[in-house]
Amino acid sequence: MTLHTIIPMELVFQGFDSDPEPTHEVKVNGIKMEVVPLAPGMGRIVRLLDCSLNDYLNPELSPGCIIHYGSLNG
C-alpha cells in the first residue's frame, strides 16, 4: 500500500503500536453493539454488530456516541 500525504509520518502512525482499548459487547433495545466502557453502565460505541439497516442511519447509534446500557445489556 502506498500512502501519499503531507502529514508527518509520526502523526499518521500515532498510536499504531499501542494496545487497543478493551471493549465489551452489549445489547441495548435489541441492538448488539461493541462499546468501550467509560463508567459503570456507560460506554462509547465502537461499532454496531447486530441490528437492522435503518439503525445505521440513527445518529444516536453512530460510533463515538455515548450510550447508557446499565441493566439493559444482555
Side-chain angles (χ1 to χ4, degrees):
M1 176 177 86
T2 304
L3 177 65
H4 297 281
T5 181
I6 60 170
I7 299 173
M9 264 175 57
E10 294 81 24
L11 291 177
V12 172
F13 293 111
Q14 184 178 16
F16 184 74
D17 291 338
S18 64
D19 292 330
E21 297 176 294
T23 61
H24 296 291
E25 290 182 9
V26 297
K27 197 166 196 171
V28 179
N29 298 330
I31 301 169
K32 187 175 179 183
M33 59 185 75
E34 183 178 358
V35 299
V36 173
L38 301 174
M42 191 168 78
R44 181 173 29 87
I45 298 175
V46 175
R47 62 183 175 153
L48 301 180
L49 299 173
D50 185 20
C51 63
S52 70
L53 294 177
N54 287 332
D55 292 327
Y56 287 102
L57 300 175
N58 186 348
E60 295 175 357
L61 297 175
S62 59
C65 288
I66 306 299
I67 189 100
H68 297 277
Y69 54 88
S71 61
L72 299 174
N73 60 349

Coordinates of all heavy atoms in Angstrom, one line a residue:
M1 N 0.8 -1.2 0.0 CA 0.0 0.0 0.0 C 0.9 1.2 0.0 O 1.9 1.3 0.7 CB -0.9 0.0 1.3 CG -1.7 1.2 1.4 SD -2.8 1.2 2.8 CE -1.7 1.8 4.1
T2 N 0.5 2.2 -0.8 CA 1.3 3.5 -0.9 C 0.4 4.6 -0.3 O -0.8 4.7 -0.7 CB 1.6 3.8 -2.3 OG1 2.4 2.7 -2.8 CG2 2.5 5.0 -2.4
L3 N 0.9 5.4 0.5 CA 0.2 6.5 1.1 C 0.9 7.8 0.8 O 2.0 8.0 1.2 CB 0.1 6.3 2.7 CG -0.6 7.4 3.4 CD1 -2.0 7.5 3.1 CD2 -0.4 7.2 4.9
H4 N 0.2 8.6 0.0 CA 0.8 9.9 -0.4 C 0.1 11.0 0.5 O -1.1 11.2 0.4 CB 0.5 10.2 -1.9 CG 1.2 9.2 -2.8 ND1 2.5 9.3 -3.1 CD2 0.7 8.2 -3.4 CE1 2.8 8.4 -3.9 NE2 1.8 7.6 -4.1
T5 N 0.8 11.6 1.4 CA 0.2 12.6 2.2 C 1.3 13.6 2.6 O 2.5 13.4 2.6 CB -0.4 12.0 3.5 OG1 -0.9 13.0 4.3 CG2 0.7 11.2 4.3
I6 N 0.8 14.8 3.0 CA 1.7 15.9 3.5 C 1.8 15.8 5.0 O 2.6 16.5 5.6 CB 1.3 17.3 3.1 CG1 -0.1 17.6 3.6 CG2 1.4 17.4 1.6 CD1 -0.5 19.0 3.4
I7 N 1.0 14.9 5.7 CA 1.0 14.8 7.1 C 2.3 14.0 7.5 O 2.7 13.0 6.9 CB -0.2 14.1 7.6 CG1 -1.5 14.9 7.2 CG2 -0.2 13.8 9.1 CD1 -2.8 14.1 7.5
P8 N 3.0 14.5 8.6 CA 4.2 13.8 9.0 C 3.9 12.4 9.4 O 2.9 12.0 9.9 CB 4.7 14.6 10.2 CG 4.0 15.9 10.1 CD 2.8 15.7 9.4
M9 N 4.9 11.5 9.1 CA 4.7 10.1 9.4 C 4.4 9.8 10.9 O 3.7 8.9 11.3 CB 6.0 9.3 9.0 CG 5.8 8.6 7.7 SD 7.3 7.8 7.0 CE 7.7 6.6 8.3
E10 N 5.0 10.6 11.8 CA 4.7 10.5 13.2 C 3.3 10.6 13.6 O 2.7 9.9 14.4 CB 5.5 11.5 14.0 CG 7.1 11.3 13.9 CD 7.6 11.9 12.7 OE1 7.0 12.9 12.1 OE2 8.7 11.5 12.2
L11 N 2.6 11.5 12.9 CA 1.1 11.7 13.1 C 0.3 10.6 12.4 O -0.7 10.1 13.0 CB 0.7 13.0 12.6 CG 1.2 14.2 13.4 CD1 0.7 15.5 12.8 CD2 0.7 14.2 14.8
V12 N 0.7 10.1 11.3 CA 0.0 9.1 10.5 C 0.0 7.8 11.4 O -1.0 7.1 11.5 CB 0.6 8.9 9.1 CG1 0.0 7.6 8.5 CG2 0.4 10.1 8.3
F13 N 1.1 7.4 11.9 CA 1.3 6.2 12.6 C 1.1 6.3 14.1 O 1.5 5.4 14.9 CB 2.6 5.5 12.3 CG 2.6 5.0 10.9 CD1 3.5 5.7 9.9 CD2 1.8 4.0 10.4 CE1 3.5 5.2 8.6 CE2 1.8 3.6 9.1 CZ 2.7 4.2 8.2
Q14 N 0.6 7.5 14.6 CA 0.5 7.7 16.0 C -0.5 6.7 16.6 O -1.6 6.5 16.2 CB 0.0 9.1 16.3 CG -0.2 9.5 17.7 CD -0.6 10.9 17.9 OE1 -1.1 11.5 17.0 NE2 -0.5 11.4 19.1
G15 N -0.1 6.0 17.7 CA -0.9 5.0 18.3 C -0.9 3.6 17.7 O -1.6 2.7 18.1
F16 N -0.2 3.5 16.6 CA -0.2 2.2 15.9 C 0.3 1.0 16.7 O -0.2 -0.1 16.6 CB 0.7 2.3 14.6 CG 0.7 1.1 13.7 CD1 -0.5 0.8 13.0 CD2 1.7 0.3 13.6 CE1 -0.5 -0.3 12.1 CE2 1.7 -0.8 12.8 CZ 0.6 -1.1 12.1
D17 N 1.3 1.3 17.6 CA 1.9 0.3 18.4 C 1.3 0.1 19.7 O 1.5 -0.9 20.4 CB 3.4 0.6 18.6 CG 4.2 0.4 17.3 OD1 3.8 -0.3 16.4 OD2 5.3 1.0 17.3
S18 N 0.4 1.0 20.1 CA -0.3 0.9 21.4 C -1.4 -0.2 21.4 O -1.9 -0.5 20.4 CB -0.9 2.2 21.8 OG -1.9 2.6 20.9
D19 N -1.6 -0.7 22.6 CA -2.7 -1.7 22.7 C -4.1 -1.1 22.5 O -4.3 0.0 23.0 CB -2.6 -2.4 24.1 CG -1.4 -3.2 24.3 OD1 -0.9 -3.8 23.3 OD2 -0.9 -3.3 25.4
P20 N -5.0 -1.8 21.9 CA -6.3 -1.2 21.7 C -7.1 -1.2 23.0 O -6.8 -2.0 24.0 CB -7.0 -2.2 20.7 CG -6.2 -3.5 20.8 CD -4.8 -3.1 21.2
E21 N -8.1 -0.3 23.1 CA -8.9 -0.2 24.3 C -9.7 -1.5 24.5 O -10.2 -2.0 23.5 CB -9.8 1.0 24.3 CG -9.1 2.3 24.2 CD -10.0 3.5 24.0 OE1 -10.7 3.5 23.0 OE2 -10.1 4.3 24.9
P22 N -9.9 -1.9 25.7 CA -10.8 -3.1 25.9 C -12.2 -2.8 25.6 O -12.7 -1.7 25.9 CB -10.6 -3.4 27.4 CG -10.2 -2.1 28.0 CD -9.4 -1.4 27.0
T23 N -12.9 -3.7 24.9 CA -14.2 -3.5 24.5 C -15.1 -4.6 25.1 O -14.7 -5.6 25.4 CB -14.4 -3.4 23.0 OG1 -14.0 -4.7 22.4 CG2 -13.6 -2.3 22.4
H24 N -16.4 -4.3 25.1 CA -17.4 -5.2 25.6 C -18.6 -5.2 24.6 O -18.9 -4.2 23.9 CB -18.0 -4.8 26.9 CG -17.0 -4.9 28.0 ND1 -16.4 -6.0 28.5 CD2 -16.4 -3.9 28.7 CE1 -15.6 -5.7 29.5 NE2 -15.6 -4.4 29.6
E25 N -19.2 -6.4 24.4 CA -20.4 -6.5 23.6 C -21.6 -6.3 24.5 O -21.7 -7.0 25.5 CB -20.5 -7.8 22.9 CG -19.4 -7.9 21.8 CD -19.5 -9.2 21.0 OE1 -20.5 -10.0 21.2 OE2 -18.6 -9.5 20.2
V26 N -22.5 -5.4 24.2 CA -23.7 -5.2 25.0 C -24.9 -5.2 24.0 O -24.8 -4.9 22.8 CB -23.7 -3.9 25.8 CG1 -22.6 -4.0 26.8 CG2 -23.5 -2.7 24.9
K27 N -26.1 -5.4 24.5 CA -27.3 -5.4 23.7 C -28.2 -4.4 24.4 O -28.6 -4.5 25.5 CB -28.0 -6.8 23.7 CG -29.0 -6.9 22.6 CD -29.3 -8.4 22.4 CE -30.0 -8.5 21.1 NZ -30.2 -9.9 20.8
V28 N -28.6 -3.3 23.6 CA -29.4 -2.3 24.1 C -30.6 -2.1 23.1 O -30.4 -1.9 21.9 CB -28.7 -0.9 24.2 CG1 -29.6 0.2 24.6 CG2 -27.5 -1.0 25.1
N29 N -31.8 -2.3 23.6 CA -33.0 -2.2 22.8 C -33.0 -3.1 21.6 O -33.4 -2.7 20.5 CB -33.3 -0.8 22.4 CG -33.5 0.2 23.5 OD1 -34.0 -0.2 24.6 ND2 -33.1 1.4 23.4
G30 N -32.4 -4.3 21.8 CA -32.4 -5.3 20.7 C -31.2 -5.1 19.7 O -31.1 -5.8 18.7
I31 N -30.4 -4.1 20.0 CA -29.2 -3.8 19.1 C -27.9 -4.2 19.8 O -27.6 -3.7 20.8 CB -29.2 -2.3 18.8 CG1 -30.5 -1.9 18.1 CG2 -28.0 -2.0 17.9 CD1 -30.6 -0.4 18.0
K32 N -27.3 -5.2 19.2 CA -26.0 -5.7 19.7 C -24.9 -4.8 19.2 O -24.8 -4.5 18.0 CB -25.7 -7.1 19.3 CG -24.5 -7.8 20.0 CD -24.5 -9.2 19.6 CE -23.3 -9.9 20.2 NZ -23.2 -11.3 19.7
M33 N -24.1 -4.2 20.1 CA -23.0 -3.3 19.7 C -21.7 -3.6 20.6 O -21.8 -4.2 21.6 CB -23.5 -1.9 19.9 CG -23.9 -1.5 21.3 SD -24.6 0.1 21.4 CE -26.2 -0.1 20.7
E34 N -20.6 -3.1 20.0 CA -19.4 -3.1 20.7 C -19.1 -1.8 21.3 O -19.2 -0.7 20.6 CB -18.3 -3.5 19.7 CG -16.9 -3.7 20.4 CD -15.9 -4.1 19.3 OE1 -16.2 -4.3 18.2 OE2 -14.7 -4.2 19.7
V35 N -18.8 -1.7 22.6 CA -18.6 -0.4 23.3 C -17.3 -0.5 24.1 O -16.8 -1.5 24.5 CB -19.8 0.0 24.3 CG1 -21.1 0.1 23.5 CG2 -19.9 -1.0 25.4
V36 N -16.7 0.7 24.3 CA -15.6 0.9 25.2 C -16.2 1.4 26.5 O -16.8 2.5 26.5 CB -14.6 1.9 24.6 CG1 -13.5 2.2 25.7 CG2 -13.9 1.4 23.4
P37 N -16.0 0.7 27.6 CA -16.6 1.2 28.9 C -15.9 2.4 29.4 O -14.7 2.6 29.3 CB -16.4 0.0 29.8 CG -15.5 -1.0 29.2 CD -15.3 -0.6 27.7
L38 N -16.8 3.4 29.8 CA -16.3 4.6 30.3 C -16.6 4.7 31.8 O -15.7 5.3 32.6 CB -17.0 5.8 29.6 CG -16.8 5.9 28.1 CD1 -17.6 7.0 27.5 CD2 -15.3 6.1 27.8
A39 N -17.7 4.2 32.3 CA -18.1 4.2 33.6 C -19.1 3.0 33.8 O -19.5 2.5 32.7 CB -18.8 5.5 34.0
P40 N -19.4 2.6 35.0 CA -20.4 1.5 35.1 C -21.7 1.9 34.4 O -22.3 2.9 34.7 CB -20.6 1.4 36.6 CG -19.3 1.9 37.2 CD -18.9 3.0 36.3
G41 N -22.1 1.1 33.5 CA -23.4 1.3 32.8 C -23.3 2.3 31.7 O -24.3 2.7 31.1
M42 N -22.1 2.7 31.3 CA -22.0 3.8 30.3 C -20.8 3.5 29.4 O -19.7 3.0 29.9 CB -21.8 5.1 30.9 CG -21.9 6.3 30.0 SD -22.0 7.9 30.9 CE -20.3 8.1 31.3
G43 N -20.9 3.7 28.1 CA -19.8 3.4 27.2 C -19.9 4.2 25.9 O -20.9 4.8 25.6
R44 N -18.8 4.1 25.2 CA -18.7 4.8 23.9 C -18.8 3.8 22.8 O -18.1 2.7 22.8 CB -17.4 5.5 23.7 CG -17.2 6.3 22.4 CD -16.0 7.2 22.4 NE -14.8 6.7 23.2 CZ -13.9 5.9 22.7 NH1 -14.0 5.4 21.5 NH2 -12.9 5.5 23.5
I45 N -19.7 4.0 21.8 CA -20.0 3.0 20.8 C -18.8 2.9 19.8 O -18.2 3.9 19.4 CB -21.2 3.4 20.0 CG1 -22.5 3.4 20.9 CG2 -21.4 2.4 18.8 CD1 -23.7 3.8 20.2
V46 N -18.3 1.7 19.6 CA -17.2 1.4 18.6 C -17.9 1.0 17.3 O -17.5 1.6 16.2 CB -16.3 0.3 19.1 CG1 -15.3 0.0 18.1 CG2 -15.6 0.7 20.4
R47 N -18.8 0.1 17.3 CA -19.5 -0.4 16.1 C -20.7 -1.1 16.5 O -20.9 -1.6 17.6 CB -18.6 -1.2 15.2 CG -18.1 -2.5 15.9 CD -17.2 -3.3 15.0 NE -16.7 -4.4 15.8 CZ -16.3 -5.5 15.2 NH1 -16.3 -5.7 13.9 NH2 -15.8 -6.5 15.9
L48 N -21.6 -1.2 15.5 CA -22.9 -2.0 15.7 C -22.6 -3.4 15.1 O -22.0 -3.5 14.1 CB -24.0 -1.3 14.9 CG -24.4 0.1 15.3 CD1 -25.5 0.6 14.5 CD2 -24.7 0.2 16.8
L49 N -23.0 -4.4 15.8 CA -22.8 -5.8 15.4 C -24.0 -6.5 14.9 O -23.9 -7.2 13.9 CB -22.2 -6.5 16.6 CG -20.9 -6.0 17.3 CD1 -20.6 -6.8 18.5 CD2 -19.8 -6.2 16.2
D50 N -25.1 -6.3 15.5 CA -26.3 -7.0 15.0 C -27.5 -6.0 15.1 O -28.0 -5.8 16.2 CB -26.6 -8.2 15.9 CG -27.7 -9.1 15.4 OD1 -28.1 -9.0 14.2 OD2 -28.2 -9.9 16.2
C51 N -28.0 -5.5 14.0 CA -29.1 -4.5 14.0 C -29.7 -4.5 12.6 O -29.2 -5.1 11.7 CB -28.6 -3.2 14.4 SG -27.4 -2.5 13.3
S52 N -30.8 -3.8 12.5 CA -31.4 -3.6 11.2 C -30.6 -2.5 10.5 O -29.9 -1.7 11.0 CB -32.9 -3.2 11.4 OG -33.0 -1.9 11.9
L53 N -30.9 -2.4 9.2 CA -30.2 -1.5 8.3 C -30.5 0.0 8.7 O -29.7 0.9 8.6 CB -30.4 -1.7 6.8 CG -29.9 -3.0 6.3 CD1 -30.3 -3.2 4.9 CD2 -28.3 -3.1 6.5
N54 N -31.8 0.2 9.1 CA -32.2 1.5 9.5 C -31.5 2.1 10.7 O -31.4 3.3 10.9 CB -33.7 1.6 9.7 CG -34.5 1.5 8.4 OD1 -34.0 1.9 7.4 ND2 -35.7 0.9 8.5
D55 N -31.0 1.1 11.6 CA -30.3 1.6 12.8 C -29.0 2.3 12.5 O -28.5 3.1 13.2 CB -30.0 0.4 13.7 CG -31.3 -0.2 14.3 OD1 -32.2 0.6 14.6 OD2 -31.4 -1.4 14.6
Y56 N -28.4 2.0 11.3 CA -27.1 2.6 10.9 C -27.4 4.1 10.6 O -26.5 4.9 10.6 CB -26.5 1.9 9.7 CG -25.9 0.6 10.0 CD1 -26.6 -0.6 9.7 CD2 -24.7 0.5 10.7 CE1 -26.0 -1.8 10.0 CE2 -24.1 -0.7 11.0 CZ -24.8 -1.9 10.6 OH -24.2 -3.1 10.9
L57 N -28.6 4.5 10.3 CA -29.0 5.9 10.0 C -29.3 6.7 11.2 O -29.4 7.9 11.1 CB -30.1 5.9 9.0 CG -29.9 5.2 7.7 CD1 -31.2 5.2 6.8 CD2 -28.8 5.9 6.9
N58 N -29.4 6.0 12.4 CA -29.8 6.7 13.6 C -28.5 7.4 14.2 O -27.5 6.7 14.5 CB -30.3 5.7 14.6 CG -30.8 6.4 15.9 OD1 -30.5 7.5 16.2 ND2 -31.5 5.6 16.7
P59 N -28.5 8.7 14.2 CA -27.3 9.4 14.7 C -26.9 9.1 16.2 O -25.8 9.3 16.6 CB -27.6 10.9 14.5 CG -29.1 11.0 14.3 CD -29.6 9.7 13.9
E60 N -27.9 8.7 16.9 CA -27.6 8.3 18.3 C -26.9 7.0 18.5 O -26.3 6.7 19.5 CB -28.9 8.2 19.1 CG -29.7 9.5 19.2 CD -31.0 9.4 19.9 OE1 -31.4 8.3 20.2 OE2 -31.7 10.4 20.1
L61 N -26.8 6.3 17.4 CA -26.1 5.0 17.4 C -24.8 5.0 16.6 O -24.2 4.0 16.3 CB -27.0 3.9 16.9 CG -28.2 3.6 17.7 CD1 -29.1 2.6 17.0 CD2 -27.9 3.2 19.1
S62 N -24.3 6.2 16.2 CA -23.1 6.3 15.4 C -21.9 6.1 16.3 O -21.9 6.4 17.5 CB -23.0 7.6 14.7 OG -23.0 8.7 15.6
P63 N -20.8 5.6 15.7 CA -19.6 5.3 16.5 C -19.1 6.6 17.2 O -19.1 7.7 16.5 CB -18.6 4.9 15.5 CG -19.4 4.2 14.4 CD -20.7 5.1 14.4
G64 N -18.7 6.5 18.4 CA -18.2 7.7 19.2 C -19.3 8.2 20.1 O -18.9 9.0 21.0
C65 N -20.5 7.9 19.9 CA -21.6 8.4 20.8 C -21.6 7.6 22.1 O -21.2 6.5 22.2 CB -23.0 8.2 20.1 SG -23.2 9.3 18.7
I66 N -22.0 8.3 23.1 CA -22.0 7.7 24.5 C -23.4 7.1 24.6 O -24.4 7.7 24.3 CB -21.8 8.8 25.6 CG1 -20.5 9.5 25.3 CG2 -21.8 8.2 26.9 CD1 -19.3 8.7 25.3
I67 N -23.4 5.9 25.1 CA -24.7 5.1 25.4 C -24.7 4.6 26.8 O -23.7 4.3 27.4 CB -24.7 3.9 24.4 CG1 -26.1 3.3 24.4 CG2 -23.7 2.9 24.7 CD1 -27.0 3.7 23.3
H68 N -25.9 4.7 27.4 CA -26.2 4.1 28.7 C -26.8 2.8 28.6 O -27.8 2.6 27.9 CB -27.1 5.1 29.5 CG -26.5 6.4 29.7 ND1 -25.6 6.7 30.7 CD2 -26.7 7.6 29.0 CE1 -25.3 8.0 30.6 NE2 -25.9 8.5 29.6
Y69 N -26.1 1.7 29.1 CA -26.6 0.4 28.9 C -27.0 -0.3 30.2 O -27.7 -1.2 30.2 CB -25.7 -0.5 28.1 CG -24.3 -0.6 28.6 CD1 -23.9 -1.5 29.5 CD2 -23.3 0.3 28.1 CE1 -22.6 -1.6 30.0 CE2 -22.0 0.2 28.5 CZ -21.6 -0.7 29.4 OH -20.3 -0.8 29.8
G70 N -26.5 0.2 31.3 CA -26.9 -0.2 32.7 C -27.4 -1.7 32.7 O -26.6 -2.6 32.4
S71 N -28.6 -1.9 33.1 CA -29.2 -3.2 33.3 C -29.8 -3.7 32.0 O -30.5 -4.7 32.0 CB -30.2 -3.2 34.4 OG -31.2 -2.4 34.1
L72 N -29.7 -2.9 30.9 CA -30.3 -3.3 29.7 C -29.5 -4.3 28.8 O -29.9 -4.8 27.8 CB -30.6 -2.1 28.8 CG -31.6 -1.0 29.4 CD1 -31.6 0.2 28.5 CD2 -32.9 -1.6 29.6
N73 N -28.2 -4.5 29.2 CA -27.3 -5.3 28.4 C -27.7 -6.8 28.6 O -28.3 -7.2 29.6 CB -25.9 -5.1 28.7 CG -25.5 -5.4 30.2 OD1 -26.4 -5.6 31.0 ND2 -24.2 -5.5 30.4
G74 N -27.4 -7.6 27.5 CA -27.9 -8.9 27.6 C -26.8 -9.9 27.5 O -25.7 -10.0 27.2

